[in-house]
Amino acid sequence: MLPESNLKISIASGKGGTGKTTIATNLALAFAQQGYDSTYIDCDVEEPNGRIFLKPKIKKQFNASVLVPVVDSTKCTLCGECSKACEYHAIAVLGKSVEVFSSLCHGCGGCLDVCPEDAIEEVPRTIGTINHGRGMNVSFYEGRLNIGEAISPPVTKKLRELSEHSQISILDAPPGTSCPTIEAIHDTDVVVLVTEPTPFGLHDLTLAVEMVRELKLPFGVLINRSNIGNNKTIEYCLRENIDILLQLPFDREVAEVYSRGEMIIDINDTYKNYFNSLIQKIKEMVHHERTNCN
């Protein structure tokens, strides 16, 4: 049995192009078709595309902001302590003034803490937007980083705060193993690592496995297009004692449905059964983890 609320399942991958968003959107729909209050959260804020498949009607929009410093020149003595404290070089003493480079600021508040003259305050700066709506009986959240911005985790953090109270949350993480991915998956109940049976897919899967193990998160692997490539991904999972949650074969009909922005779960009962099987495996993982914790 699944808990009544706040079950978080993140869908991640070591590289782009593995079919992560396809899996995430169809899994969210499969949960909804089983009667769950299902929410899809597109955390790939630099290139969100889950809306292509779920086709939500957007009802609300929110700003996502980061706090940046503003220096009061009447109090500032140009001591440079703020510049020394900033690891991101977002604030610097240049001549007889202090310059703030807002696009580099991570909003950590370090400069505020070290200023001996209390000459710094923080003001919000919008770096992205969050859209909320509903499509195919699935609640939909999407983060979008503004063009030209370099720091995405604050948008993901705000996105997750707004979607916190869902019964089932499917978090579509950005590809890779860097800070944006970690912000998306860091406290989820289960991580599904989507890969493909190719040398590049296996290489990046090993990096993703290292990441989730370092974060101490329960995880399993889903092999997409499992009937192409080779068997080395399966062999790796067996050696590392990693659960293979699902092997989803390549199918021309799936590719055609995908190209039209439609859901593969609705092709026929075979694909519906694939995702229902994935849900069952996730239930078993959650039950196992919570039983062992207790």
Side-chain angles (χ1 to χ4, degrees):
M1 293 294 292
L2 290 174
E4 291 300 320
S5 61
N6 295 326
L7 178 68
K8 301 169 187 172
I9 305 161
S10 53
I11 313 298
S13 62
K15 63 183 287 292
T18 61
K20 173 176 56 63
T21 294
T22 301
I23 300 303
T25 52
N26 279 272
L27 181 60
L29 180 57
F31 269 111
Q33 290 180 351
Q34 287 195 11
Y36 290 100
D37 174 21
S38 178
T39 296
Y40 168 83
I41 305 166
D42 198 338
C43 297
D44 190 359
V45 301
E46 295 185 53
E47 196 173 0
N49 59 0
R51 66 161 61 201
I52 295 173
F53 303 99
L54 289 172
K55 299 174 176 58
K57 182 178 180 181
I58 301 301
K59 298 178 180 179
K60 295 180 181 178
Q61 187 174 82
F62 310 88
N63 286 332
S65 302
V66 63
L67 292 174
V68 298
V70 174
V71 180
D72 184 343
S73 60
T74 64
K75 294 181 180 179
C76 180
T77 61
L78 304 175
C79 69
E81 291 300 318
C82 56
S83 180
K84 293 176 187 177
C86 183
E87 296 183 5
Y88 307 104
H89 307 292
I91 187 167
V93 178
L94 301 176
K96 294 184 178 181
S97 66
V98 178
E99 297 294 329
V100 175
F101 305 98
S102 298
S103 62
L104 299 178
C105 181
H106 284 57
C108 69
C111 57
L112 191 72
D113 292 337
V114 301
C115 179
E117 306 299 332
D118 195 25
I120 299 176
E121 63 176 331
E122 292 178 313
V123 297
R125 183 176 73 86
T126 299
I127 62 170
T129 56
I130 293 168
N131 298 312
H132 173 49
R134 195 166 186 84
M136 299 185 181
N137 204 31
V138 173
S139 183
F140 175 91
Y141 286 88
E142 168 195 78
R144 285 185 174 267
L145 187 69
N146 288 346
I147 294 173
E149 296 291 346
I151 303 166
S152 64
V155 179
T156 303
K157 183 177 181 180
K158 181 66 174 178
L159 177 63
R160 294 193 57 179
E161 288 173 358
L162 289 169
S163 59
E164 185 66 28
H165 301 295
S166 304
Q167 183 184 18
I168 305 292
S169 295
I170 308 298
L171 294 96
D172 187 355
T177 57
S178 60
C179 293
T181 304
I182 292 171
E183 179 62 43
I185 74 171
H186 71 275
D187 65 348
T188 50
D189 297 285
V190 176
V191 182
V192 178
L193 295 177
V194 181
T195 189
E196 56 191 7
T198 64
F200 286 120
L202 177 56
H203 174 269
D204 291 333
L205 174 64
T206 62
L207 299 178
V209 168
E210 290 177 11
M211 172 185 67
V212 294
R213 282 179 169 167
E214 184 68 23
L215 294 171
K216 295 180 171 55
L217 296 173
F219 73 98
V221 166
L222 187 152
I223 304 176
N224 194 22
R225 298 185 282 271
S226 60
N227 54 339
I228 63 172
N230 55 48
N231 292 324
K232 293 186 180 297
T233 301
I234 295 175
E235 294 169 1
Y236 165 76
C237 290
L238 291 174
R239 283 197 312 271
E240 293 292 321
N241 196 28
I242 298 170
D243 288 337
I244 298 177
L245 303 176
L246 180 65
Q247 296 186 56
L248 194 63
F250 174 78
D251 186 323
R252 180 183 176 87
E253 187 175 9
V254 170
E256 292 174 353
V257 167
Y258 172 87
S259 70
R260 295 194 297 268
E262 298 173 1
M263 304 295 280
I264 64 175
I265 194 175
D266 291 329
I267 293 176
N268 53 43
D269 286 343
T270 298
Y271 286 94
K272 190 182 296 292
N273 289 337
Y274 277 133
F275 282 91
N276 287 338
S277 170
L278 179 58
I279 288 175
Q280 184 59 37
K281 289 286 185 64
I282 290 170
K283 288 180 179 180
E284 292 170 1
M285 286 185 67
V286 172
H287 177 74
H288 175 74
E289 288 295 323
R290 298 194 173 182
T291 299
N292 285 350
C293 286
N294 294 331

